Amino acid sequence: MPPVKPMLAKSVAKIPPGMQYEAKWDGFRAIVHRDGDEVEIGSRTGKSLTRYFPELVSALKENLPPRCVVDGEIVVVHGRRLDFDRLTERIHPAASRVKLLAETTPASFVAFDLLALGDEALLDTPLGERRAALTRALSTARPPVHLAPATTDPALAREWFERFEGAGLDGVVAKPLDLPYRPDARIMFKIKHERTADVVVAGFRFHKSGPIIGSLLLGLYDEQGALQHVGVCAAFPMKRRAELVEELEPLRMPDPAGHPWAAWAEESAHESARLPGAQSRWTGKKDLSWVPLRPERVCEVKYDHMEGDRFRHTAQFGRWRPDREPESCTYAQLEEVVGYDLGEVLGSPG
């Protein structure tokens, strides 16, 4: 019975041998429960996503066995690749908007594990057997419900790791073939792309625990010479957070006047530029205020991939780059990923 929390993965540097390999999908993790005409779509945290994806409810009824629990990912495809921004827009409080978005940006469901079938719970069944049962259960499935491609060939997994990124995928997941399903346990392995970029530190937010650094606000210059907010880096030891406050004190501005992001509090300003602090249904009433810094310091960060013109996930601080001029930190330095048709990914053998 719902809710069920999904099994999770921990990061490793290399693709481990002797496992089942799958693409790492960049969407909303979802556990689907179906019992006849009843369908419940649960999020990673256990909250219901069902009302936001009415088109998937219909498709899941048509393509899943009459009684089952399936683990997978909800994704939105745009321009032959995954589009996470359009996916997040699907979570909207207004029923009329939900109905419209279901028609204009329909979602797909990619299934990669089977937790129950009929009256049988499969949590203690080894992955290899669960995968075989899932393949049989979805043998006649049609879009927008898909069986995730999987392989036990590490060479093919390495090829997927390189090629599939162009379709918006996030890396590779490795799963031991004898692995039982353990909700909320981090016992799978994920291998993600990692790159570096030199970025301008143009502000920071205080930590929720007090007057120490919570996150650094990062920027890159576009072709027009405007500094665009591209994300944050936030994972620092507590001692380092305190040190950073003193380290950045000489750059603090008494007010944002004259700062490239001075208009951040004006909703209309976000329509023409990437600025920190945009309110959304995700942030709610969260305090998004920040401390402006003169954009004079450069740091190197590690990131996995871009979502449009921003870092998809929180970046990791690497080192200060006193040898770099802020104006030299542009989008041009970023690696351009070769495009790849998502249809080719979903058309791979299961």
Side-chain angles (χ1 to χ4, degrees):
M1 295 293 292
V4 173
K5 290 188 176 182
M7 185 164 62
L8 304 174
K10 55 186 175 184
S11 294
V12 293
K14 297 180 179 180
I15 297 175
M19 298 191 182
Q20 175 177 295
Y21 310 101
E22 303 168 15
K24 186 177 184 301
W25 300 89
D26 190 19
F28 291 164
R29 187 76 176 274
I31 304 288
V32 174
H33 292 71
R34 184 191 176 190
D35 188 356
D37 286 335
E38 293 184 66
V39 172
E40 177 63 27
I41 306 173
S43 73
R44 174 171 168 169
T45 60
K47 295 181 179 179
S48 177
L49 295 172
T50 310
R51 69 174 296 267
Y52 302 114
F53 299 98
E55 78 282 19
L56 280 188
V57 172
S58 300
L60 292 166
K61 288 180 184 179
E62 294 175 2
N63 288 282
L64 294 187
R67 297 185 68 227
C68 62
V69 181
V70 179
D71 186 3
E73 197 102 357
I74 299 173
V75 298
V76 164
V77 180
H78 179 75
R80 301 193 305 173
R81 59 177 287 125
L82 300 183
D83 192 321
F84 190 79
D85 283 346
R86 281 180 167 80
L87 177 62
T88 61
E89 292 172 358
R90 293 296 310 270
I91 309 301
H92 199 283
S96 59
R97 183 67 174 170
V98 168
K99 183 176 184 297
L100 175 64
L101 291 173
E103 298 171 354
T104 57
T105 54
S108 298
F109 180 74
V110 183
F112 44 69
D113 212 333
L114 186 63
L115 283 60
L117 184 62
D119 293 329
E120 184 180 4
L122 302 176
L123 298 181
D124 293 328
T125 303
L127 170 68
E129 296 179 31
R130 297 200 310 274
R131 173 68 192 193
L134 178 65
T135 301
R136 291 191 297 270
L138 295 186
S139 60
T140 60
R142 296 292 180 265
V145 175
H146 304 270
L147 174 65
T151 183
T152 56
D153 181 356
L156 181 55
R158 287 191 289 271
E159 183 180 338
W160 286 356
F161 184 78
E162 299 299 333
R163 286 195 297 147
F164 285 3
E165 187 183 12
L169 279 77
D170 210 11
V172 168
V173 175
K175 306 176 180 180
L177 288 166
D178 60 353
L179 188 69
Y181 196 96
R182 293 293 177 259
D184 210 28
R186 201 171 289 276
I187 51 179
M188 302 184 295
F189 305 95
K190 57 184 177 182
I191 307 91
K192 300 177 68 174
H193 299 273
E194 187 176 273
R195 300 177 173 85
T196 63
D198 293 329
V199 294
V200 181
V201 177
F204 69 84
R205 290 192 176 98
F206 282 113
H207 194 267
K208 59 184 179 181
S209 67
I212 56 176
I213 296 293
S215 61
L216 300 179
L217 277 57
L218 312 176
L220 287 173
Y221 285 95
D222 62 20
E223 293 180 353
Q224 288 72 43
L227 185 66
Q228 304 289 353
H229 175 56
V230 295
V232 302
C233 56
F236 301 101
M238 295 303 286
K239 180 182 177 182
R240 182 58 180 147
R241 294 181 188 275
E243 294 172 347
L244 282 170
V245 174
E246 297 184 16
E247 202 169 327
L248 297 173
E249 179 63 30
L251 298 176
R252 287 182 66 168
M253 301 172 65
D255 64 68
H259 192 281
W261 302 335
W264 73 276
E266 302 172 14
E267 185 175 348
S268 60
H270 292 266
E271 298 175 2
S272 57
R274 281 204 57 82
L275 305 173
Q279 289 284 354
S280 72
R281 56 186 173 275
W282 299 103
T283 56
K285 298 181 179 179
K286 183 179 179 180
D287 182 9
L288 298 175
S289 60
W290 53 282
V291 177
L293 300 175
R294 295 197 308 276
E296 299 173 1
R297 294 202 73 175
V298 174
C299 73
E300 179 184 85
V301 297
K302 296 178 181 179
Y303 70 99
D304 47 19
H305 71 282
M306 303 292 291
E307 177 70 27
D309 55 1
R310 62 178 173 84
F311 296 137
R312 169 67 179 85
H313 301 106
T314 301
Q316 181 181 349
F317 183 89
R319 53 177 176 158
W320 292 114
R321 289 297 305 267
D323 56 320
R324 289 293 302 266
E325 294 295 327
E327 292 76 16
S328 70
C329 298
T330 69
Y331 282 98
Q333 70 181 294
L334 303 180
E335 179 181 339
E336 185 173 347
V337 178
V338 177
Y340 191 77
D341 190 343
L342 184 64
E344 296 292 329
V345 181
L346 294 173
S348 300

